């Protein structure tokens, strides 16, 4: 590691260690879930709420038993929804729980005359009030898409719970209604109307109030999420981007993933000196950084401290994906976090690359075959392309993408041809056809971002599905052969997850555990490009640079892995945007970027 990182006292490391799972919030969150389930059971199941006092109260004039059942059910559902927020020390979840617990206790006593139910609610309310300072975490970034997701999930849950409510009174049901009648009764009841199922006595009112409460909760929570102030996802400001570019100009050669910090869907924290920064995105409560900190390694501890402070303030789970060995050492030293090898990055040294030799035989034969088929390659800087060609490349890259969502987070820039990225390198394959298509003779695209002044890092690969196989190999070879012309001495290719396990597991003498692990990875490769990326990268005889994931506790790894899959685009929980709308939005954004560039030129 170049540059000695200043040490820190054990107290400072404990402070930086960040939001360890707090005992009180975790216990309170679990207790809230238990109380919520008890409230739901009290409002739904007749046997659970059976008592002599309740039987007498039902026949008294002005009895509000059905209303109390609905209130108990509502409080229980809302407490279940709040349990996760309480575990994460969210202040708003604490405020809501302090209001709901007395309401649920009152409903328990009014409907069941249950002293035990009241005592359970009070037993949870006391630690909530006593440890109120523990619940100070700020809200997460959010958008109004959550309102639609809440409506869909709550509607499905209300239908399921509504069917339970309708079916738990078999002795009081009039006749033998069909499943369709019961489902219709649930739907009508959620909207406050009477359905086709009838019951004896006051049970009809109990069921009606309970179904109405579920519909009310669905409506209120959706309206709240739709009209509350919006906190959009992280975005780099122009000032932040300018500061990051200045740091990359001085220290960008340190990490091949440095330029990907300029993704505009990331947020950034800077060190107090401004000489280092950490970029991140919050996904499902995980504060996910990628690569090493940007800037002077001497200032990395200050940026890491700011990162951990931000995670603690919001009760986010801190994690780093794909940092180098140097970065992993600094992160673990300064925070007390742990590191686990995630895979290897393939780096090809241009001076050592050659198509000669037996090891490169397959690549050499493939490239020769494609060249004989009439394909030619061009390798240029983005600044050297005209606007019409750039527009054609952008459209082709969008249409040739194999998935509905753009994949990539740690090793993807997410854009092509922005005026601010004029130093990016682009390799294209062309072939003249008798009937040129929408993109002319363009057949494949490779895009590289700068890695300091003498390196390039692969960003994306796109190809026409009708083109001959081997387009990616052809363009990588073309980029490597053209690299000296641009002063490039090293090129970073794809990242291969679990590369060492795959390589060791296929060698003679590998143990049964290693072989079983390799078989599992090969099986998972049916859905994720694990083995195929490793074999593709290995064709070019690279040197392998290990990359690590930094995490707080082993129990966090599944959550971090799921958040990383969301960030990389392998799991998409949001509603997809139609392709024609994505095109329209991209077309609307591009002129703005060019207008900014033209304004800067005029100002200069």
């Amino acid at each position: 590691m170049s540059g000695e990182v200043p040490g820190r006292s054990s107290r400072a490391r404990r402070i930086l260690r960040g939001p360890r799972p707090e005992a009180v919030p975790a216990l309170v969150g679990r207790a809230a879930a238990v109380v919520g389930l008890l409230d739901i059971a009290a409002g739904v199941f007749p046997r659970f709420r059976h008592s002599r006092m309740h039987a007498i109260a039902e026949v008294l004039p002005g009895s509000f038993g059905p209303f109390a059942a609905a209130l108990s059910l509502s409080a229980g559902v809302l407490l279940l929804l709040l349990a996760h927020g309480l575990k994460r020390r969210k202040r708003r979840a604490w405020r809501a729980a302090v209001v709901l617990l007395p309401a649920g206790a009152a409903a328990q006593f009014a409907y069941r005359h249950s002293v035990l139910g009241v005592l359970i609610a009070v037993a949870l309310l006391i630690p909530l009030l006593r440890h109120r300072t523990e619940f100070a975490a700020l809200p997460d970034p959010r958008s109004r898409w959550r309102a639609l997701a809440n409506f869909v999930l709550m509607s499905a849950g209300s239908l399921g719970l509504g069917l339970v409510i309708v079916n738990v009174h078999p002795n009081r049901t009039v006749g033998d209604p069909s499943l369709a009648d019961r489902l219709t009764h649930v739907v009508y009841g959620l909207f406050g109307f009477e359905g086709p199922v009838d019951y004896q006595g006051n049970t009809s009112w109990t069921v009606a109030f309970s179904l109405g409460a579920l519909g009310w909760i669905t409506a209120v929570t959706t309206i709240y999420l739709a009209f509350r102030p919006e906190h959009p996802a992280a975005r780099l400001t122009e000032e932040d981007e300018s500061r990051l570019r200045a740091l990359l100009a001085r220290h960008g050669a340190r990490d091949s993933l440095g330029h990907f910090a300029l993704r505009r869907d990331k947020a950034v924290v800077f060190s107090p000196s401004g000489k280092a920064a950490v970029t991140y995105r919050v996904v499902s409560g995980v504060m996910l950084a990628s690569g090493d900190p940007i800037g002077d390694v001497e200032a990395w501890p200050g940026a890491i401290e700011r990162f951990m402070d931000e995670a603690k303030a919001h009760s986010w789970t801190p994690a780093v994906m794909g940092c180098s060995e140097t970065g992993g050492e600094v992160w673990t030293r300064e925070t007390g976090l742990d590191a686990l090898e995630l895979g290897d990055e393939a780096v090809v040294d241009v001076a050592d690359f050659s198509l000669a030799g037996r090891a490169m035989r397959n690549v050499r034969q493939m490239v020769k075959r494609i060249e004989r088929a009439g394909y030619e390659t061009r390798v240029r800087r983005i600044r050297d392309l005209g606007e019409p060609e750039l527009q054609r490349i952008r459209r082709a890259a969008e249409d040739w993408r194999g998935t509905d969502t753009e994949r990539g987070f740690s090793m993807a820039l997410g854009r092509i041809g922005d005026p601010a990225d004029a130093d990016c390198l682009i390799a294209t394959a062309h072939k003249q056809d008798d009937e040129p298509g929408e993109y002319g003779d363009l057949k494949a695209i490779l895009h590289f971002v700068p890695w300091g002044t003498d390196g390039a890092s692969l960003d994306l690969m796109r190809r026409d599905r009708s083109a001959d196989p081997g387009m990616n190999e052809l363009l990588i070879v073309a980029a490597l052969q053209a690299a000296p012309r641009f002063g490039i001495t090293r090129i970073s290719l794809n990242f291969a997850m679990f590369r060492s396990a795959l390589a060791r597991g296929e060698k003679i003498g590998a143990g049964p555990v290693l072989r079983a692990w390799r078989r599992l990875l090969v099986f998972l490769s049916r859905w994720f490009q694990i083995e195929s990326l490793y074999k593709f990268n290995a064709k070019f005889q690279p040197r392998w640079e290990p990359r690590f994931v930094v995490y707080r506790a082993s129990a966090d790894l599944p959550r971090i892995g799921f958040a990383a899959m969301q960030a990389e685009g392998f799991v998409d929980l949001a509603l997809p945007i139609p392709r024609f709308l994505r095109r329209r939005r991209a077309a609307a954004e591009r002129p703005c970027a060019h207008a900014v560039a033209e304004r800067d030129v005029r100002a200069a």
Side-chain angles (χ1 to χ4, degrees):
M1 181 179 73
S2 62
E4 184 64 26
V5 177
R8 289 183 180 269
S9 66
S10 59
R11 179 179 179 273
R13 292 181 186 176
R14 285 195 300 271
I15 294 173
L16 280 176
R17 195 163 292 180
R20 291 282 185 184
E22 302 286 350
V24 171
L27 290 175
V28 167
R30 295 189 187 98
V34 172
V35 173
L37 290 173
L38 291 175
D39 283 343
I40 292 173
V44 172
F45 298 103
R47 292 183 180 179
F48 192 86
R49 59 175 182 262
H50 178 73
S51 69
R52 289 185 178 180
M53 293 185 67
H54 175 260
I56 297 174
E58 270 192 330
V59 300
L60 292 177
S63 172
F64 54 94
F67 174 75
L71 181 59
S72 178
L73 180 64
S74 302
V77 172
L78 291 174
L79 279 173
L80 277 179
L81 296 176
L82 292 171
H84 181 63
L86 291 172
K87 288 181 182 179
R88 295 182 57 205
R89 308 184 297 112
K90 294 297 183 180
R91 186 66 177 177
R92 290 184 178 180
W94 177 87
R95 291 171 180 168
V98 167
V99 174
L100 284 171
L101 281 170
Q108 289 264 23
F109 186 77
Y111 192 42
R112 296 196 305 121
H113 303 279
S114 170
V115 177
L116 179 61
V118 175
L119 292 177
I120 291 175
V122 171
L124 177 58
L125 184 62
I126 290 174
L128 271 176
L129 296 175
R130 182 178 179 183
H131 299 279
R132 58 185 177 274
T133 56
E134 296 282 346
F135 301 89
L138 301 175
D140 293 345
R142 57 182 181 254
S143 69
R144 292 192 174 92
W145 282 101
R146 278 193 170 184
L148 182 57
N150 177 84
F151 176 75
V152 173
L153 295 176
M154 286 292 295
S155 297
S158 297
L159 283 174
L161 187 56
L163 281 174
V164 174
I165 293 172
V166 169
N167 289 310
V168 293
H169 307 277
N171 296 329
R172 296 203 173 192
T173 304
V174 176
D176 186 20
S178 64
L179 178 61
D181 289 337
R182 297 171 190 267
L183 185 60
T184 302
H185 192 86
V186 172
V187 175
Y188 279 26
L190 293 177
F191 287 93
F193 300 105
E194 185 176 352
V197 181
D198 197 11
Y199 301 89
Q200 300 173 0
N202 288 340
T203 303
S204 293
W205 288 102
T206 302
V207 172
F209 272 93
S210 299
L211 293 177
L214 289 176
W216 175 81
I217 292 173
T218 301
V220 169
T221 55
T222 302
I223 291 171
Y224 168 74
L225 292 172
F227 290 97
R228 67 179 177 172
E230 186 174 12
H231 290 245
R235 293 289 185 271
L236 278 185
T237 65
E238 290 185 12
E239 180 183 358
D240 289 339
E241 186 172 338
S242 297
R243 295 176 66 183
L244 284 174
R245 289 186 183 276
L247 292 177
L248 287 171
R250 293 192 294 270
H251 307 282
R254 181 179 296 279
D255 185 16
S256 63
L257 306 188
H259 198 87
F260 299 119
L262 298 175
R263 285 183 65 104
R264 288 166 185 158
D265 57 359
K266 291 184 178 181
V268 60
V269 289
F270 289 92
S271 65
S273 65
K275 294 181 178 180
V278 175
T279 59
Y280 66 91
R281 188 196 299 172
V282 179
V283 183
S284 298
V286 177
M287 191 176 182
L288 201 62
S290 60
D292 293 343
I294 307 300
D296 187 356
V297 68
E298 297 285 347
W300 283 7
I304 291 173
E305 181 175 1
R306 289 280 179 88
F307 177 89
M308 297 300 290
D309 287 344
E310 191 76 6
K312 186 175 183 179
H314 292 269
S315 191
W316 292 330
T317 300
V320 186
M321 296 295 297
C323 65
S324 68
E325 189 170 0
T326 299
E329 289 176 356
V330 178
W331 274 100
T332 55
R333 178 188 306 174
E334 296 300 318
T335 64
L337 302 178
D338 292 322
L340 179 69
E341 186 172 341
L342 187 61
D344 295 270
E345 175 190 9
V347 179
V348 179
D349 293 313
V350 173
D352 298 333
F353 178 77
S354 173
L355 286 176
R358 183 177 181 83
M360 299 298 295
R361 178 183 177 184
N362 289 337
V363 176
R364 181 173 64 251
Q365 290 178 344
M366 180 174 289
V367 170
K368 294 294 184 183
R369 178 179 57 79
I370 296 173
E371 289 176 343
R372 286 195 300 269
Y375 289 88
E376 64 174 21
T377 59
R378 302 169 193 168
V379 182
R380 294 159 289 176
R381 296 283 189 188
I382 286 292
R383 68 167 70 92
D384 298 326
L385 273 65
E387 183 58 29
E389 186 175 7
L390 262 180
Q391 293 281 6
R392 187 167 64 251
I393 289 173
R394 290 193 193 103
R395 292 199 310 271
E398 172 75 13
D399 289 345
W400 293 344
R401 189 173 64 206
T403 57
D404 289 334
T405 57
E406 184 74 55
R407 287 185 175 175
F409 168 70
S410 56
M411 294 187 70
L413 188 59
R415 60 181 183 267
I416 297 178
D418 192 285
D421 302 317
D423 287 338
C424 289
L425 201 68
I426 190 162
T428 54
H430 304 263
K431 182 183 180 182
Q432 294 291 340
D433 294 327
D434 295 335
E435 296 181 4
E438 180 181 357
Y439 311 112
D441 62 351
L442 184 64
K443 298 300 180 183
I445 304 163
L446 257 62
H447 188 254
F448 299 84
V449 300
W451 176 9
T453 58
D454 63 347
S457 187
L458 181 60
D459 174 26
L460 63 79
M461 300 185 292
R462 298 279 192 272
R463 70 177 183 88
D464 187 345
R465 300 299 174 183
S466 64
D468 293 328
M471 290 291 104
N472 292 330
E473 289 88 340
L474 173 69
L475 289 180
I476 287 178
V477 170
L480 287 166
Q481 291 175 340
R485 178 158 48 94
F486 300 98
I488 293 174
T489 62
R490 53 188 177 163
I491 291 183
S492 169
L493 300 179
N494 288 307
F495 171 73
M497 290 186 63
F498 309 115
R499 196 274 316 175
S500 59
L502 288 169
R504 293 198 303 267
E506 64 184 356
K507 290 183 178 180
I508 188 172
V513 175
L514 190 56
R515 288 185 180 274
W517 175 226
R518 182 182 181 278
R519 283 195 294 268
L520 176 61
L521 293 176
V522 172
F523 175 75
L524 294 176
S525 296
R526 298 180 182 181
W527 298 276
F528 308 104
Q529 294 179 335
I530 300 176
E531 185 184 28
S532 59
L533 275 180
Y534 158 58
K535 290 186 174 180
F536 177 83
N537 291 333
K539 292 179 181 180
F540 303 95
Q541 302 299 305
R543 55 182 169 89
W544 299 100
E545 298 288 343
R547 291 280 174 173
F548 299 84
V549 56
V550 177
Y551 60 98
R552 184 177 58 189
S554 298
D556 293 333
L557 283 175
R559 185 180 180 188
I560 293 171
F562 185 72
M565 291 173 66
Q566 287 181 260
E568 296 288 352
F570 290 103
V571 176
D572 187 14
L573 300 182
L575 294 176
I577 301 175
R579 185 177 292 271
F580 76 93
L581 289 180
R582 290 200 302 265
R583 279 188 179 181
R584 185 177 301 175
R585 184 174 66 179
E589 290 176 351
R590 282 195 294 270
C592 296
H594 289 291
V596 171
E598 291 175 3
R599 180 196 64 194
D600 294 342
V601 170
R602 286 197 299 269

